[in-house]
Amino acid sequence: MDEPAKDVSTRRDGRVSGPPAGYLPYGDRKPYVVADTLASLSGPTRGVVTLPHHLDWSGKPEYNLDRPALLASMYKVVLTEAATAEDLNTWLSGDLLLRLWPTLWLPPQLRRRWEQRFPELAATRIDHA
């Protein structure tokens, strides 16, 4: 009978090993794109939109922007998956982003990068964390 596979994070002596020296978590390595200006974000603000596959490969890329939960979900997808400033400019609205910013669930690294570029986004949050 085969011996069960050992957890790759456990050393032979039973101690748990940590990440290698110099390791950066994925969120610190992911190349999040930040817009040049909020005014350049001129995407749709109403109706149903279908995101391209490179932004949303979930199989359900349609978002009804008139439904607040779906609007917020689409903004999260675009912010986290945009590969170019053009993706941001095409799918996001600067005015809506300002309104949604305090409620969006975003990776801390992404939020930090956007708020460093646009202090007005940070100003919309109560906790300023």
Side-chain angles (χ1 to χ4, degrees), residues 10-98:
T10 303
R11 298 182 349 188
R12 285 183 181 216
D13 62 8
R15 292 185 295 164
V16 176
S17 61
Y23 172 80
L24 288 174
Y26 177 71
D28 292 334
R29 292 179 281 128
K30 182 168 175 31
Y32 295 114
V33 178
V34 179
D36 294 324
T37 67
L38 292 179
S40 66
L41 304 175
S42 58
T45 59
R46 299 192 54 85
V48 176
V49 300
T50 302
L51 292 178
H53 187 71
H54 75 278
L55 292 176
D56 188 333
W57 56 89
S58 71
K60 297 181 182 182
E62 287 190 0
Y63 296 87
N64 183 342
L65 304 186
D66 298 320
R67 296 186 57 200
L70 294 177
L71 173 65
S73 180
M74 187 200 85
Y75 269 62
K76 177 185 178 188
V77 167
V78 173
L79 286 163
T80 57
E81 301 302 329
T84 65
E86 188 59 31
D87 286 336
L88 299 169
N89 296 342
T90 300
W91 298 105
L92 303 180
S93 157
D95 291 337
L96 279 178
L97 183 62
L98 276 165

